[in-house]
């Protein structure tokens, strides 16, 4: 049965409140003498509380050696005040004896005749207090209480909205475990001196159960998140195994707390590392899953590593770190909240941005702190000379080294600035690319998206789909674009990508405007040169052709036609195919008439509505002129047939005439033939000659994409001598 999320969250909140109330009741009703207890120089010290009258003879802190009450006298040891008994009493037999001793101390503290014996032999009358005031509770009590309550509520909130998600269910288990471990520890770690054996025993069992099940729950989460690694029921098996370890703690089955708690947690930590590596490899190419996993792993491994270093590892080497457990629960809470952000995938495109910075800050902070501790250890000297030496080393060597280390670590996480100016200028330096095409090329270079889709209804730039997509607004009619899967799916789009896009758009518009102004200046100068050629040189060639002998006049007219073609190619506007076909027919008809050759001109009934680029039109004109010239010069036919055909791919041209010469396959390559083949290839086609039944057929073709592209091929626009070269 699926419960409403509000019901689950309300139930978890109520449970957290009830657990907090129970913890406060247990803490305030624990045995109390109304004193402040501490350990100094391996001696137990007591002092009066500032909010109540001091007992007789206790005007200042004093060392105490024994507690007397209820007919028994018990020596007081520094270990009695330990916040975490399994740290100072690792062996299970010692731990069991500590619990029995706590029971005896609690009984003595509740006796009406309770008194303390000082190190000087004095006796302090300290009658038991009915309750401890809230002000007597240590700040770490409230910290652990808050950590446990927030852990429980957060776990329930995540599971409430993902009740069919196994990862969310095991995450809820970690929330319950964190609450059990933190709230129980809040009571016994802030006791005044002792708790009854039953209360203390159950509180420690709850603490150990919470710690073990937290580990089991987290490993199970990694087995299922972001994808399940297999069908093996690892989660239930882990929960049962760690629950049995809790039973072993309760029944004192194992010889030490290391075997019962610390080592299983460390083994679970290592297992989580293995699962984390596997999940990392499996999430390759899935940026949303990878982003969630990044925060998941960072929060767990960094926070857990600190928790283990502060709480679990020191006892393995005989170091007492019991006082660190209370504040260390704050690390577990931070882990827990970060895990929630990963599982819920809440604004991962923003979390993903800070992931590398978080690691940088964490690692660099640890290294700098380690350097500080190393310096303190190495310079742990005494005396004026040692002090002077220390100050000199710190001022001249340590501080510069420390600053260099911090700067070096910071540079590791800083990405090199993107050379936007260079990229924009390189793309817009190709005038054959339309602005829309250049814009798409830039977006591909900067973001390397796996997909780009048109999106016409975008009014502003934005990160969408949880960071999977970047919406790039655009003006009509082209509209906007939606880029998906940044860096080919290796990361999410982030907020700084929007800032980069804004800078790119501004720079692109500026460079595009400059390119347009430059192009306008070039076109203006080209038009001026074209007018001068047409009005001056053209008029002189026409006059010359009218006054020369026929052979020389033919060469003058050829030069005039070549100049006209060059002038046409220099114009900015495109040339309609129908107009060019008319020009070509007029030129060929004029040359055939001068050579007394009959012309058969064939074009499609419906000429395609295509506008040819000026340079492409010049190349086609030169091919046509060269083939006609070769036919007139070498074959001297009485009939010339020109057939032009068009389809959706491009245009095919064929010139046929009578021929009695050598087979085209035996022709000696000449400059004219080479130029014809190069021009035809440049237009996306090829030219061939075939002799059949006394006729020679020259055929060439070209694609519309080559004829209509704005290509900067002005190097071929200049007049060349191959118009007169033999074929």
């Amino acid at each position: 049965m699926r419960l409403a999320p509000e019901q689950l969250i309300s139930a978890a909140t109520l449970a957290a409140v009830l657990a907090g109330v129970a913890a406060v009741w247990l803490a305030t009703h624990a045995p109390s003498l109304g004193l402040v207890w501490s350990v100094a120089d391996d001696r137990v010290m007591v002092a009066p509380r500032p909010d109540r009258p001091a007992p007789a003879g206790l005007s200042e802190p004093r060392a105490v050696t024994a507690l007397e009450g209820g007919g028994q006298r018990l020596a007081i040891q520094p270990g009695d005040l330990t916040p975490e008994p399994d740290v100072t009493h690792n062996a299970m037999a010692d731990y069991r004896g500590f619990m029995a001793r706590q029971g005896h101390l609690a009984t003595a503290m509740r006796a009406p005749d309770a008194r303390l014996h000082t190190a000087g032999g004095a006796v302090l009358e300290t009658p038991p207090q009915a309750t401890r005031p809230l002000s007597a509770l240590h700040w770490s009590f409230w910290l652990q209480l808050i950590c446990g309550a927030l852990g429980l509520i957060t776990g329930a909130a995540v599971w409430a909205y993902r009740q069919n998600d196994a990862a969310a269910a095991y995450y809820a288990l970690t929330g319950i475990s964190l609450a059990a471990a933190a709230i129980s520890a809040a009571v016994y770690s802030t006791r005044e001196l002792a708790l009854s054996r039953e209360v203390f025993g159950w509180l420690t069992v709850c603490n150990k159960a919470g710690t073990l099940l937290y580990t089991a729950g987290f490993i199970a989460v990694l087995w299922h998140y972001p994808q399940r690694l297999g069908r093996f029921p690892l989660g239930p098996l882990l929960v049962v195994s760690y629950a049995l370890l809790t039973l072993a703690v309760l029944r004192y089955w194992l010889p030490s707390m290391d075997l019962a708690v610390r080592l299983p947690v460390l083994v679970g930590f290592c297992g989580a590392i293995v699962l984390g590596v596997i999940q990392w490899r499996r999430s390759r190419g899935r940026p949303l899953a990878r982003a969630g996993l990044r925060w998941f792993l960072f929060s767990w491994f960094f926070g857990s590593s600190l928790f283990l270093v502060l709480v679990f590892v020191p006892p393995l080497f005989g170091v007492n770190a019991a006082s660190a457990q209370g504040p260390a629960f704050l690390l577990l809470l931070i882990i827990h909240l970060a895990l929630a952000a990963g599982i819920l995938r809440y604004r991962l495109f923003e979390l993903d941005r800070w992931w590398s910075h978080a690691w940088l800050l964490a690692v660099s902070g640890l290294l700098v702190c380690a350097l500080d501790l190393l310096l303190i250890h190495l310079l742990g000297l005494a005396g004026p000379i040692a002090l002077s030496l220390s100050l000199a080393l710190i001022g001249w060597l340590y501080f510069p080294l420390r600053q260099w280390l911090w700067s070096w670590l910071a540079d590791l996480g800083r990405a090199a600035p993107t050379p936007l100016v260079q990229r924009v200028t390189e793309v817009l330096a190709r005038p054959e690319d339309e602005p829309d095409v250049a814009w798409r090329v830039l977006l591909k270079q900067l973001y390397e998206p796996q997909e780009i889709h048109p999106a016409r209804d975008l009014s502003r730039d934005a990160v969408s789909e949880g960071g999977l997509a970047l919406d790039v607004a655009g003006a009509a009619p082209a509209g906007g674009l939606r880029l998906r899967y940044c860096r080919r799916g290796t990361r999410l789009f982030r907020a700084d990508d929007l800032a980069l896009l804004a800078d790119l758009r501004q720079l692109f518009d500026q460079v595009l405007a400059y390119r347009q102004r430059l192009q306008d200046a070039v076109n203006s100068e080209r038009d001026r040169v074209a007018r001068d050629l047409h009005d001056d040189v053209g008029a002189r060639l026409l006059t010359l052709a009218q006054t020369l002998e026929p052979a020389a006049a033919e060469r003058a007219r050829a030069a005039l036609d070549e100049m006209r073609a060059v002038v046409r190619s220099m114009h900015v506007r495109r040339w309609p195919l129908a107009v060019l076909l008319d020009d070509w027919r007029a030129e060929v008809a004029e040359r055939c008439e001068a050579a007394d050759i009959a012309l058969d001109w064939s074009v499609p009934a419906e000429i395609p509505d295509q506008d040819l680029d000026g340079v492409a039109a010049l190349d086609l004109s030169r091919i046509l002129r060269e083939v006609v010239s070769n036919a007139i010069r070498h074959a001297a036919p009485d009939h010339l047939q020109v057939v032009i055909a068009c389809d959706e791919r491009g245009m095919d041209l064929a010139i046929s005439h009578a021929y009695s010469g050598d087979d085209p396959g035996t022709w000696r390559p000449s400059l004219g033939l080479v130029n014809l083949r190069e021009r035809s290839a440049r237009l996306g086609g090829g030219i061939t000659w075939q002799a059949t039944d006394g006729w020679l057929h020259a055929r060439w073709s070209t694609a519309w994409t080559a004829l209509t592209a704005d290509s900067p091929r002005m190097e071929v626009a200049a007049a060349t001598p191959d118009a007169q070269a033999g074929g």
Side-chain angles (χ1 to χ4, degrees):
M1 180 181 66
R2 182 183 178 89
L3 300 176
E6 296 80 5
Q7 294 176 329
L8 286 175
I9 297 174
S10 299
T13 304
L14 179 61
V17 171
L18 293 178
V21 170
V24 171
W25 189 91
L26 287 174
T28 54
H29 288 75
S32 173
L33 299 178
L35 302 174
V36 177
W37 297 75
S38 62
V39 176
D41 299 328
D42 292 330
R43 296 188 305 171
V44 178
M45 309 291 294
V46 294
R49 288 192 51 80
D51 57 351
R52 58 163 294 167
L58 191 62
S59 58
E60 59 184 14
R62 301 186 66 175
V64 295
T65 58
L67 169 65
E68 183 180 357
Q72 57 180 345
R73 178 171 174 168
L74 303 169
I76 299 177
Q77 304 168 359
D80 294 330
L81 294 174
T82 179
E84 185 53 61
D86 62 7
V87 174
T88 53
H89 301 82
N90 177 50
M92 199 65 76
D94 294 342
Y95 181 81
R96 195 169 186 174
F98 171 83
M99 287 297 177
R101 178 177 173 78
Q102 280 283 304
H104 295 314
L105 288 173
T107 301
M109 291 177 68
R110 292 187 184 278
D113 58 345
R115 64 186 66 185
L116 292 172
H117 295 265
T118 68
V123 177
L124 302 176
E125 299 293 336
T126 53
Q129 305 296 306
T131 59
R132 297 171 68 193
L134 293 178
S135 59
L137 300 180
H138 195 264
W139 61 267
S140 62
F141 172 85
W142 303 106
L143 175 63
Q144 294 176 84
L145 205 64
I146 293 173
C147 290
L150 289 179
L152 177 60
I153 295 172
T154 306
V158 171
W159 181 58
Y161 292 97
R162 295 175 178 264
Q163 296 182 35
N164 296 324
D165 187 348
Y170 285 111
Y171 175 75
L173 174 62
T174 65
I176 297 173
S177 303
L178 176 59
I183 295 176
S184 59
V187 178
Y188 69 73
S189 65
T190 59
R191 68 192 185 281
E192 187 173 299
L193 174 64
L195 293 173
S196 67
R197 182 173 184 176
E198 293 75 13
V199 173
F200 207 152
W202 281 109
L203 287 175
T204 54
V205 167
C206 287
N207 176 262
K208 302 304 177 288
T211 303
L212 292 169
L213 291 178
Y214 186 94
T215 305
F218 179 79
I219 301 174
V221 170
L222 266 180
W223 178 258
H224 291 86
Y225 179 84
Q227 60 178 318
R228 182 164 181 168
L229 297 180
R231 300 185 63 85
F232 183 75
L234 180 64
L237 182 62
L238 286 170
V239 172
V240 171
S241 300
Y242 280 80
L244 289 176
L245 289 172
T246 303
L247 183 60
V249 174
L250 176 64
R251 306 300 298 176
Y252 304 105
W253 287 341
L254 296 177
S256 69
M257 282 295 177
D258 285 344
L259 291 177
V261 180
R262 277 183 281 273
L263 288 180
V265 171
L266 291 175
V267 170
F269 180 79
C270 295
I273 293 177
V274 175
L275 295 183
V277 172
I278 297 174
Q279 288 284 12
W280 185 268
R281 295 177 60 87
R282 295 240 183 136
S283 64
R284 183 181 304 160
R286 300 170 58 208
L288 200 59
R290 175 64 65 86
L293 186 61
R294 280 174 176 169
W295 273 99
F296 195 98
L297 296 180
F298 169 77
S299 60
W300 167 252
F301 290 118
F302 180 70
S304 299
S305 298
L306 283 181
F307 187 86
L308 293 176
V309 168
L310 292 174
V311 177
F312 272 68
V313 175
L316 295 177
F317 297 93
V319 178
N320 189 343
S323 59
Q325 175 168 289
F329 274 107
L330 185 60
L331 287 173
L332 291 183
L333 177 62
I334 295 174
I335 296 170
H336 198 69
L337 296 178
L339 296 186
I343 293 177
L344 291 176
R345 299 181 177 180
Y346 175 70
R347 300 182 71 84
L348 288 180
F349 62 94
E350 292 185 356
L351 292 179
D352 190 51
R353 174 188 179 188
W354 295 106
W355 182 75
S356 58
H357 297 284
W359 270 114
L360 171 65
L361 181 63
V363 174
S364 58
L366 287 177
L367 289 179
V368 170
C369 290
L371 190 60
D372 290 344
L373 293 175
L374 179 63
L375 180 68
I376 293 172
H377 176 72
L378 293 177
L379 299 180
L381 306 175
I385 297 179
L387 178 60
S388 301
L389 177 62
S390 300
L391 292 176
L393 289 176
I394 290 174
W396 292 338
L397 296 179
Y398 173 65
F399 281 157
L401 176 62
R402 191 176 189 268
Q403 186 62 31
W404 172 84
L405 176 62
W406 183 268
S407 301
W408 179 74
L409 290 169
D411 289 338
L412 289 179
R414 185 180 298 119
T418 305
L420 286 183
V421 174
Q422 180 181 353
R423 291 192 178 188
V424 173
T425 52
E426 286 178 352
V427 170
L428 290 179
R430 299 190 294 267
E432 68 273 17
D433 289 344
E434 294 289 343
D436 290 344
V437 176
W439 180 242
R440 290 174 68 102
V441 169
L442 277 173
L443 293 176
K444 287 182 179 180
Q445 289 181 358
L446 283 181
Y447 300 110
E448 299 180 25
Q450 192 168 328
E451 301 175 5
I452 296 182
H453 303 288
R456 300 186 180 277
D457 297 332
L458 298 179
S459 59
R460 63 183 182 89
D461 301 333
V463 175
S464 60
E465 299 182 24
L468 288 178
L470 178 66
D471 294 339
V472 181
L481 298 171
R482 174 162 292 167
L483 284 57
R484 303 186 78 240
Y485 303 112
C486 185
R487 297 286 184 268
R488 299 195 177 277
T490 58
R491 74 166 179 87
L492 297 178
F493 288 103
R494 305 183 298 235
D496 53 355
D497 291 317
L498 288 175
L500 178 62
L501 179 60
D503 293 341
L504 177 66
R505 192 189 301 277
Q506 181 180 8
L507 184 60
F508 182 84
D509 292 340
Q510 292 174 352
V511 177
L512 181 63
Y514 172 78
R515 188 184 82 167
Q516 186 60 47
R517 291 194 298 270
L518 180 62
Q519 188 65 39
D520 291 343
V522 171
N523 291 339
S524 178
E525 181 64 16
R526 184 185 302 167
D527 288 344
R528 186 191 64 79
V529 173
R531 287 194 301 270
D532 291 345
L533 285 174
H534 182 273
D535 297 342
D536 189 6
V537 180
R540 292 176 183 271
L541 285 175
L542 181 61
T543 302
L544 184 63
Q546 293 173 350
T547 59
L548 293 175
E549 295 296 328
E554 171 64 21
R555 289 194 294 273
R557 280 192 292 269
L560 179 60
D561 292 337
E562 181 71 14
M563 188 207 67
R564 288 172 177 170
V566 172
V567 170
R568 178 184 294 114
S569 69
M570 294 174 65
H571 280 288
V572 178
R573 62 181 182 274
R574 296 173 181 265
W575 291 91
L577 177 60
V579 174
L580 291 175
L581 291 179
D582 290 341
D583 289 348
W584 294 342
R585 185 170 187 261
E587 178 184 338
V588 174
E590 181 180 356
R591 299 184 64 186
C592 287
E593 182 180 358
D596 197 19
I597 298 174
L599 175 63
D600 182 8
W601 183 271
S602 176
V603 296
E606 295 186 5
I607 298 176
D609 185 17
Q610 294 284 356
D611 293 334
L612 272 62
D613 171 57
V615 178
L618 175 61
D619 277 341
L620 277 177
S621 299
R622 283 175 168 171
I623 295 173
L624 178 66
R625 186 177 302 117
E626 177 71 6
V627 174
V628 172
S629 296
N630 289 339
I632 296 175
R633 183 180 304 114
H634 299 293
D638 57 2
H639 183 80
L640 187 69
Q641 185 181 48
V642 179
V643 178
I644 300 177
C646 299
D647 57 21
E648 68 280 356
R649 179 192 59 82
M651 182 167 58
D652 297 316
L653 298 92
I655 295 181
S656 304
H657 56 81
Y659 178 72
S660 59
D662 298 334
D663 185 85
T666 63
W667 288 354
R668 179 180 59 84
S670 64
L671 181 60
L673 293 177
V674 171
N675 286 337
L676 285 173
R677 289 191 174 97
E678 287 181 353
R679 286 197 175 98
S680 180
R682 190 160 55 228
L683 294 175
I687 185 168
T688 61
W689 289 267
Q690 183 179 11
T692 57
D693 299 331
W695 282 75
L696 181 65
H697 307 280
R699 299 184 177 89
W700 69 98
S701 60
T702 185
W704 294 126
T705 55
L707 292 175
T708 59
D710 291 328
S711 178
R713 295 173 292 182
M714 293 308 299
E715 67 275 4
V716 300
T720 57
D722 63 331
Q724 286 80 31

